[in-house]
Amino acid sequence: MALLRHSSRTRRRDATDTRMWTWFMLPGTLWMTGFLIASLVLVAVLAVGTTDDLGNPRFGFDLSGVRALADPAYTEVLVRSLGYALLTCAICLLIAYPVAYTIALHGGRYKHALIAAIVVPFFANYLVRMYGWSVVLSDDGPVLRALRAVGLADGNTKILNTGVGVVAGLVYGFVVFMIIPLYAALERLDVSLIEAGRDLYGGPVRTFFYVTLPATRQGAAAGLVLVFLPAMGDFVSAQLMGGPDQIMIGNLIQDKFFQGQNWPLGSALTMLLMLVLLIGMFGYLRRTRKDEAEARR
């Protein structure tokens, strides 16, 4: 009887907590949802609109902006942006995992200070950081000087105005978004699982691939999403380090809105970018639900 009363009190307390947190979440959720839906509807309406002689948008129904997406030039830019974003995700994962692993499992009492040392520089303005990075990667910058000194580059080697420069900028700009979720996943990792793997003569490499990596794959998946979304729509790296031959879809959208005054085409490109991002997000959510279902079994 006493057990039943305790269980009933626990359920009432959980229900009260759930209602309280729901009310706390409601204003922010309504605010974000309202502005997100309003902006998406506006962009969708502009995508089938027109512009007047002065370049001002006019509402209507004209599919010329949507049909223009079939131009192979835009497809090439979209494919290039997708390739740069995926390559950025892969490089960020390779860089971030050892960093997060070392800090989470071997950082000791300095782990919080080390995470702060990584995160704090990223509070600086993104544009300023990209300008600084472009100087580092310039023809006379320290990177190319070091490569020339060890014979890995010559006087004709360039990083700026190439695809390498764009990906380098994207990795520098968004690698912290990969480190943080990986660090959080490794912090929650039960270290006894690693010790059990080693007790079973798994060895460091086998233990990592059969125990540590599967246990932290949700953190890696979250990091991949957090890097992919902004990298896909970024335009600063391509503008400062890619030159005119390495533009991404973000540069196209910016040009159509602010220079070409072609709002319908800019809106259609935005909707196309949103579609690609939604596909990536849908895949992430589906994978997450599947992992949670497997964990409950």
Side-chain angles (χ1 to χ4, degrees):
M1 193 65 181
L3 182 60
L4 290 175
R5 284 198 297 270
H6 175 72
S7 178
S8 178
R9 284 197 299 269
T10 302
R11 285 197 297 270
R12 286 198 298 270
R13 186 170 61 249
D14 291 344
T16 302
D17 290 344
T18 301
R19 285 195 295 270
M20 182 185 70
W21 288 114
T22 300
W23 282 109
F24 273 122
M25 290 173 55
L26 191 60
T29 303
L30 291 177
W31 178 275
M32 294 296 295
T33 304
F35 276 96
L36 177 63
I37 293 176
S39 60
L40 283 178
V41 170
L42 181 60
V43 171
V45 170
L46 287 174
V48 294
T50 58
T51 54
D52 59 19
D53 295 337
L54 298 176
N56 297 316
R58 287 184 175 277
F59 297 111
F61 188 76
D62 186 339
L63 295 178
S64 58
V66 178
R67 283 196 292 266
L69 297 179
D71 190 325
Y74 299 136
T75 305
E76 180 183 351
V77 174
L78 179 63
V79 171
R80 181 189 302 135
S81 303
L82 186 61
Y84 284 167
L86 292 175
L87 184 58
T88 300
C89 289
I91 296 174
C92 283
L93 182 61
L94 292 176
I95 294 175
Y97 206 102
V99 174
Y101 184 93
T102 303
I103 295 175
L105 301 184
H106 302 285
R109 60 177 178 173
Y110 300 108
K111 61 174 64 175
H112 296 125
L114 292 172
I115 284 294
I118 291 173
V119 172
V120 169
F122 283 84
F123 290 160
N125 183 273
Y126 179 71
L127 188 60
V128 172
R129 287 191 287 119
M130 286 298 110
Y131 268 118
W133 193 232
S134 67
V135 173
V136 173
L137 299 179
S138 65
D139 295 345
D140 295 325
V143 173
L144 276 179
R145 285 185 180 181
L147 292 176
R148 292 184 188 121
V150 297
L152 296 177
D154 54 29
N156 297 322
T157 305
K158 291 183 177 297
I159 297 178
L160 288 184
N161 298 323
T162 66
V164 175
V166 177
V167 175
L170 293 174
V171 170
Y172 170 70
F174 303 122
V175 69
V176 69
F177 296 153
M178 184 72 77
I179 293 175
I180 298 304
L182 279 174
Y183 171 78
L186 287 161
E187 266 280 283
R188 294 194 300 268
L189 177 66
D190 188 353
V191 181
S192 62
L193 295 175
I194 299 176
E195 295 172 351
R198 291 175 180 171
D199 290 342
L200 295 174
Y201 304 102
V205 177
R206 287 176 63 86
T207 301
F208 174 78
F209 282 105
Y210 284 93
V211 177
T212 308
L213 195 57
T216 57
R217 63 184 178 188
Q218 286 196 356
L224 290 173
V225 171
L226 290 176
V227 172
F228 178 77
L229 297 181
M232 189 69 189
D234 185 81
F235 61 93
V236 176
S237 295
Q239 186 170 341
L240 294 181
M241 283 167 276
D245 296 331
Q246 302 295 331
I247 62 173
M248 298 175 66
I249 191 169
N251 302 99
L252 268 183
I253 294 172
Q254 183 195 30
D255 290 344
K256 298 305 175 186
F257 274 107
F258 298 107
Q259 296 181 12
Q261 296 292 313
N262 192 343
W263 289 48
L265 181 53
S267 299
L269 287 167
T270 304
M271 295 302 294
L272 179 62
L273 176 61
M274 288 293 298
L275 178 62
V276 174
L277 298 180
L278 284 175
I279 291 173
M281 181 60 75
F282 177 75
Y284 167 71
L285 293 176
R286 186 176 179 183
R287 182 70 233 182
T288 302
R289 283 199 298 269
K290 188 175 180 180
D291 289 343
E292 290 176 349
E294 291 176 355
R296 286 195 296 268
R297 290 176 185 171

